[in-house]
Each structure stands twice: as C-alpha cells, then as structure tokens.
C-alpha cells in the first residue's frame, strides 16, 4: 500500500531500541530518546540505530499532541530509522471508537495519526533481532489462538509480521479484536491491539511451543505500581523482572515474551527504559 511501508526483516548490523507505551508523556519520551543518542529537536537518529515504538503514544499523560508532533518529526527526518506501530489508543481515531475515553485529541493531531496509517508509516507489527532469534513486535502481543487460527501458524516472526501488516493495510477488523480488556470474556485469540498480557497473551502460550519470541507493550503481567504480579502463579513462576527498565521476560518452550509497557498513568511513577539489542 503506502510508500512508507518498509520491510520487516531485521538488519543485523543495526542496534534496535524498542520503546513501550508513551501515554502522552512528552518529556519522558524526549529524555529516553536523548539517552539512546537520538536528537528530539532535529528528529535525527544515529545511522546504526533503529527505534521501534509499540503504540499507545497518546492519552493518559499531559501532552499527547507534543508526543505525536515529536514522532512525526522523526518519521519525516529519519525514516526508516523510526518504526511506529499502532496501539489501541491510536486505533480510536482510525476507525469507529471501540471504547470510551475521557480525553480526545485535537483535530490536527488526529489528522497526523490518520496520515501515518494511510501512508503505511504506522503498522501493526515489525521484527527485531535478538541474538540468533527474531522477535515479533506488536502492541499487545500475538496470542496463540490468533497465530494459529487467524494467521495459519506462520513459522517465522517475519512472516507473521508481514501477514499482520497486510491485514492492517486491508482494514481487516480481526486485528482489532478485543477480549477481556474490552469487557468481553478472556480469549486465547484476542487480537494484537487488545490482548491482555496477564489474562490472555501469556496464558495462551502456556503448554504450547512458541514458534518465535515476542516483544509487546499495552499491559503487563507484573503491576509495577503495586509491585505484585497480576498474572497467575504459573505465569509469575516463569517470569523474571528488570526493575530498572520496567521489563518482564516470560520464558516458554521455544521462546520468550518480553513485556515493556511501563504502565504510565497520569504520571510516570517508576523507572523505565527502552528494550535494546546490540548489533551482531
Ligand atoms: Mn494499549
């Protein structure tokens, strides 16, 4: 579709930094980008670095408009150095809203999100390298049921990402399929914009063999604010936490699922960092 839709095949010569949900926190995003070596003022990124943001740039925090303007600067000046994925909060403005939210973006900001989506600058999935493995990156994660029934069990993260991006470009509603977080029942086939990590994504892979690992934002198995697991003991027992970065890594047969949603609310209450892989 759009000219901006880049290849999802990872470049092993690059460093990748994957940034979790931003939630309208402009200053926190700027600080992390600067730490990574990017320049928020010029919208430039070092040639050896690729930045992936998992969606949910907007809502919750004080300055969604500035966050979208900042990302637009990078998408304009540094493409393809910035890979923007779509979250359920952006999706509110791309199709009929599916949930009530107390904040509403201004028209200019909405127009930018719609331009990204229409031009293929904002997509559903990408892939980053992790040692010998490829990790699929989506907003909420790929549930076992969606991988099996909707995608037909692709063996590689690259193939899964290509299929998800095609479904997005074609406007397939299944990628927006809700589950427990949209008031439905728990579903092992919730979509990659809405799957709950603790109730749907992680339980769906228990006892199964993962074809490839994943990174996701959107929700977490561990509640970083209350400092306790919200997921069941079977999930907690196979999850290790990086408290300095706000990352949770859950191990399954065949791969790991890395959760990087820092859980920002109206404020940014605890440390967080991008998930970073070094070049081969
Ligand atoms: Mn989300």
């Amino acid at each position: 579709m759009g000219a901006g839709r880049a290849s999802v095949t990872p470049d092993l010569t690059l460093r990748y930094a994957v940034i979790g949900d931003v939630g309208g926190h402009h200053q926190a995003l700027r600080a992390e980008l600067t730490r990574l070596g990017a320049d928020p003022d010029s919208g430039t990124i070092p040639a050896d670095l690729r930045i992936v943001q998992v969606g949910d740039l907007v809502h919750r925090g004080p300055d969604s408009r500035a966050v979208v303007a900042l990302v637009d600067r990078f998408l304009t000046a540094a493409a393809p150095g910035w890979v923007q994925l779509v979250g359920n909060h952006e999706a509110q403005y791309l199709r009929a809203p599916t949930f009530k939210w107390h904040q509403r973006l201004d028209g200019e900001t909405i127009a930018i999100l719609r331009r990204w989506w229409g031009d293929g600058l904002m997509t559903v999935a990408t892939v980053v390298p992790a040692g010998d493995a490829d990790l699929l990156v989506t907003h909420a994660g790929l549930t076992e049921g969606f991988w099996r029934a909707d995608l037909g069990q692709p063996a590689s993260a690259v193939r899964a990402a290509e299929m998800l991006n095609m479904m997005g470009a074609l406007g397939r509603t299944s990628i927006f399929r809700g589950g427990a977080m949209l008031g439905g029942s728990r579903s092992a086939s919730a979509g990659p914009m809405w799957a709950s990590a603790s109730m749907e994504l992680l339980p769906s892979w228990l006892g199964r063999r993962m074809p490839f690992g994943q990174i996701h934002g959107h929700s977490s198995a561990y509640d970083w604010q209350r400092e306790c697991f919200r997921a069941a003991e079977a999930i907690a027992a196979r999850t290790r936490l990086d408290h300095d970065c706000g990352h949770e890594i859950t191990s399954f047969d065949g791969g790991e699922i890395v959760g990087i949603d820092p859980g920002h609310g109206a404020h940014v209450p605890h440390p967080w960092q991008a998930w970073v892989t070094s070049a081969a």
Side-chain angles (χ1 to χ4, degrees):
M1 296 266 296
R5 187 161 284 115
S7 165
V8 299
T9 303
D11 182 338
L12 297 176
T13 67
L14 300 178
R15 297 181 291 142
Y16 283 78
V18 189
I19 295 177
D21 307 48
V22 173
H25 289 285
H26 178 234
Q27 288 305 328
L29 177 60
R30 279 186 68 100
E32 177 64 354
L33 290 170
T34 302
R35 189 187 71 83
L36 291 166
D39 181 355
D41 293 317
S42 62
T44 53
I45 298 172
D48 69 337
L49 176 64
R50 184 150 297 177
I51 293 174
V52 178
Q53 200 284 322
V54 303
D56 282 6
L57 290 168
V58 302
H59 293 164
R60 300 189 193 281
D63 213 344
S64 295
R65 177 186 172 90
V67 169
V68 171
L70 175 61
V71 172
D72 196 45
R73 199 173 308 145
F74 281 104
L75 286 172
T76 302
W82 187 287
V83 179
Q84 183 61 49
L85 303 184
V86 59
N88 54 300
H89 283 267
E90 284 78 43
Q92 279 289 82
Y93 303 98
L94 305 177
R95 55 202 296 274
T98 52
F99 62 106
K100 289 201 186 306
W101 192 258
H102 61 283
Q103 294 158 298
R104 177 82 185 168
L105 301 177
D106 64 273
E108 191 177 332
T109 302
I110 293 170
I112 293 171
L113 296 180
R114 289 178 177 163
R115 171 166 56 79
W116 293 350
W117 185 241
D119 287 352
L121 289 171
M122 181 162 66
T123 57
V124 180
T126 194
V127 180
V128 299
D132 299 337
D134 284 344
L135 301 179
L136 177 73
V137 192
T138 59
H139 179 60
L142 180 63
T143 55
E144 195 275 341
F146 200 98
W147 169 77
R148 182 168 35 78
D150 291 87
L151 299 188
Q153 308 183 58
S156 76
V158 166
R159 183 68 189 132
E162 288 172 345
M163 294 179 78
L164 288 166
N165 287 341
M166 183 60 67
M167 293 168 82
L170 294 173
R172 295 282 163 76
T173 56
S174 53
I175 57 169
F176 302 101
R177 186 189 303 141
M181 289 178 72
L182 260 185
S185 54
R186 294 184 185 201
S187 167
S189 60
M193 222 84 63
W194 272 108
S196 158
S198 62
M199 292 185 282
E200 296 170 321
L201 174 67
L202 298 171
S204 79
W205 288 104
L206 265 183
R208 312 278 182 157
R209 180 171 174 81
M210 293 195 75
F212 42 78
Q214 301 189 35
I215 301 179
H216 70 88
H218 180 62
S219 68
S220 58
Y222 185 76
D223 187 326
W224 296 99
Q225 296 201 37
R226 296 163 67 193
E227 300 184 320
C228 60
F229 275 95
R230 44 169 77 100
E233 173 58 27
I235 300 292
R238 51 180 69 224
T239 300
R240 62 183 193 276
L241 302 171
D242 182 334
H243 285 271
D244 294 333
C245 296
H247 299 169
E248 53 183 32
I249 302 101
T250 307
S251 300
F252 295 92
D253 183 19
E256 293 179 334
I257 297 182
V258 181
I260 61 168
D261 173 18
H264 296 345
H267 303 280
V268 177
H270 59 83
W272 71 282
Q273 287 189 7
W275 184 92
V276 179
T277 179
S278 53

